[in-house]
Amino acid sequence: MRNIAVILAGGKGNRMGTDTPKQFITVAGRTVIEHTIRAFDNHPLIDEIAVVAAEEHLSRMAEIIDKGNYCKVRRLLAGGTERWQSSLAAVRAYAGEDCNLLIHDGARPLVSAEIITACVKALHSHEAVEVAVPTTDTIVELSDDGTIARIPPRRLLRNAQTPQCFRRSVIARAFDRALRDPDFSPTDDCSVVHRYTPEVDITVVEGDEKNIKITYKSDIQLLEKLLANK
């Protein structure tokens, strides 16, 4: 069963407060998306890479891919306005093949080889895999009136990262059910599988605090420091 890395790079970078989408910002001589692609292109367990970008950025992304000579990037797909639409585009692109999809945020350029390896190995015995790190802050759940309703035990809480990984047949089935729900409003791919295919257990593998998602300008500065120490 092939392992396909799906890199979602359709972000507009609105929270960055810049005209340049975050995936195209240059850090340490390469754009953010190049750092991300390289992590998967260099990994021996990844067979193929699909990059999903916004329609208006497809030509720019194609230039980056061609210039970088990434041998495993075989597909460049147009994404949608919402994250889930970009994931679905990749799921549909591999229809007819029973493969593993490792869906990753293009703005997480420091995903480690160890995380990718752990995900692939977990897919040998599980149909869905989440990457997460222990939550360090106390999390409170609020009531509708703004008061605290519940304080979950911190030892049971995790902060989700990516990749989020699935047998293609599983996430395809989840999306098929979700699209028939008029209240469908997912936060990420694991939430789609968790809600619409409850019969599927999602296992969790250990992430890394360095596997940050670039969201704000301050994250670029942190990325520069982490790359310098890599």
Side-chain angles (χ1 to χ4, degrees):
M1 188 176 294
R2 295 199 306 154
N3 299 307
I4 314 296
V6 176
I7 300 177
L8 305 181
K12 303 296 177 62
N14 295 333
R15 285 178 286 184
M16 290 287 293
T18 63
D19 294 330
T20 302
K22 55 191 175 184
Q23 62 269 29
F24 296 125
I25 293 175
T26 299
V27 183
R30 293 188 176 93
T31 59
V32 169
I33 191 61
E34 288 178 274
H35 288 292
T36 307
I37 292 173
R38 280 168 58 86
F40 290 94
D41 200 62
N42 292 335
H43 199 285
L45 297 180
I46 297 300
D47 299 296
E48 182 172 322
I49 299 171
V51 179
V52 189
E55 188 83 42
E56 63 267 29
H57 296 144
L58 286 176
S59 60
R60 186 174 183 181
M61 191 67 72
E63 291 176 4
I64 289 173
I65 292 169
D66 290 342
K67 184 178 178 180
N69 195 29
Y70 303 110
C71 62
K72 293 182 182 179
V73 179
R74 307 285 170 75
R75 296 178 190 246
L76 177 57
L77 307 171
T81 56
E82 301 291 337
R83 184 188 190 281
W84 68 265
Q85 294 171 325
S86 295
S87 295
L88 181 58
V91 172
R92 287 175 170 171
Y94 288 94
E97 179 180 357
D98 192 13
C99 57
N100 294 323
L101 299 179
L102 289 79
I103 304 177
H104 187 68
D105 295 324
R108 286 188 190 270
L110 292 179
V111 60
S112 67
E114 290 78 11
I115 289 176
I116 297 171
T117 298
C119 288
V120 172
K121 288 184 175 180
L123 285 168
H124 291 166
S125 54
H126 297 84
E127 295 181 311
V129 179
E130 171 80 278
V131 175
V133 293
T135 299
T136 56
D137 295 322
T138 296
I139 303 297
V140 299
E141 181 180 333
L142 301 183
S143 301
D144 291 336
D145 62 2
T147 60
I148 292 178
R150 193 169 69 95
I151 303 178
R154 193 167 62 188
R155 63 183 176 81
L156 300 177
L157 299 178
R158 298 292 184 272
N159 292 336
Q161 297 183 339
T162 64
Q164 295 182 351
C165 316
F166 314 91
R167 302 278 174 87
R168 199 212 71 90
S169 57
V170 166
I171 193 166
R173 184 166 75 246
F175 269 120
D176 183 59
R177 294 174 183 176
L179 292 173
R180 295 196 293 267
D181 179 4
D183 296 321
F184 176 48
S185 181
T187 54
D188 61 11
D189 301 300
C190 274
S191 70
V192 179
V193 171
H194 180 69
R195 178 171 180 180
Y196 295 99
T197 53
E199 68 275 13
V200 174
D201 290 329
I202 304 174
T203 194
V204 176
V205 300
E206 189 75 18
D208 190 325
E209 294 293 345
K210 296 186 184 70
N211 186 24
I212 61 171
K213 183 177 181 180
I214 305 303
T215 305
Y216 302 104
K217 283 185 178 179
S218 58
D219 296 327
I220 293 294
Q221 297 172 347
L222 177 57
L223 175 59
E224 288 175 338
K225 292 179 181 179
L226 292 172
L227 285 170
N229 295 325
K230 196 173 179 183

